[in-house]
Amino acid sequence: MVKAFQVNDSNYDGRFYVGVRSTGIYCLPSCKAKLPKLENVAFYPNREEAIAAGFRGCKRCKSESFPDVLPKWLHDVLTYMKNNYDARLTESKLTGMTPVDITTIRRYFKNHLGVTPLAFHRRLRLIHARELIESGVNYLQAAYECGYESSSGFREAFSRQYGCPPGRLNGK
Ligand SMILES: [Zn+2]
């Protein structure tokens, strides 16, 4: 991915997205903007995860419109998910914040992300928990901030997503 991004390989456009922490923008691998330092770069398998991590689309490579234009309601959903890692998300909450019905939301997530919207939220919560732990936060605290009421439930979900228990990451 690093290589594809460094040589602006457009064959990889849509296969992953590049978040640039120093600018808060996410790009296509082919973006011709000045190459950021690698330590400021994070890779995402899809736009939705990049947006949920707080990145905005790039005006230069139009990353927000590739391969298609994102529905407007999706931004509200992703922003809510990002700001509410500890919330009990329900489908009725989702329809309450968008003008579309649950069938449309479910279909979008299934087609673009391969999971239900609630499963995507759970994935984001674990990504956030992992970031917290990697930045030195105790895993019980990370579990709490991501809405897990029991540490065993958190350990189980975390191990399922990452193949190792959360304590393994920072030795606690
Ligand atoms: Zn760009």
Side-chain angles (χ1 to χ4, degrees):
M1 290 193 282
V2 171
K3 188 86 206 292
F5 180 52
Q6 282 173 332
V7 301
N8 305 134
D9 189 342
S10 60
N11 289 319
Y12 288 87
D13 286 354
R15 291 170 64 184
F16 69 89
Y17 295 83
V18 187
V20 183
R21 293 195 193 93
S22 45
T23 56
I25 280 170
Y26 72 92
C27 285
L28 300 173
S30 69
C31 187
K32 297 286 192 290
K34 189 167 161 284
L35 273 182
K37 289 202 184 106
L38 275 186
E39 68 248 35
N40 288 329
V41 155
F43 295 102
Y44 295 94
N46 51 61
R47 289 176 288 184
E48 290 80 357
E49 278 182 36
I51 295 167
F55 292 100
R56 290 173 324 238
C58 172
K59 289 205 172 71
R60 185 119 184 220
C61 61
K62 312 243 184 316
S63 49
E64 198 134 299
S65 319
F66 188 93
D68 48 17
V69 176
L70 291 173
K72 207 170 173 315
W73 58 262
L74 184 66
H75 286 271
D76 297 332
V77 167
L78 294 174
T79 304
Y80 178 86
M81 287 182 175
K82 169 169 96 72
N83 293 334
N84 296 278
Y85 289 122
D86 60 345
R88 283 266 158 267
L89 188 60
T90 60
E91 291 194 329
S92 64
K93 246 186 213 169
L94 284 176
T95 45
M97 67 183 84
T98 62
V100 293
D101 60 24
I102 194 60
T103 315
T104 306
I105 299 175
R106 275 198 210 125
R107 196 187 307 126
Y108 179 91
F109 275 83
K110 197 84 201 154
N111 291 345
H112 289 79
L113 299 155
V115 291
T116 65
L118 302 190
F120 187 71
H121 185 229
R122 285 196 292 275
R123 189 198 285 173
L124 292 179
R125 288 162 65 196
L126 289 169
I127 290 172
H128 183 61
R130 183 180 182 146
E131 283 168 1
L132 288 174
I133 293 168
E134 283 176 342
S135 73
V137 173
N138 176 288
Y139 88 83
L140 291 175
Q141 179 66 26
Y144 173 76
E145 286 187 32
C146 294
Y148 285 88
E149 277 155 19
S150 84
S151 60
S152 60
F154 174 67
R155 273 202 302 274
E156 205 183 301
F158 193 96
S159 301
R160 216 179 305 127
Q161 181 151 315
Y162 293 117
C164 78
R168 197 76 62 75
L169 288 178
N170 64 357
K172 279 183 197 134

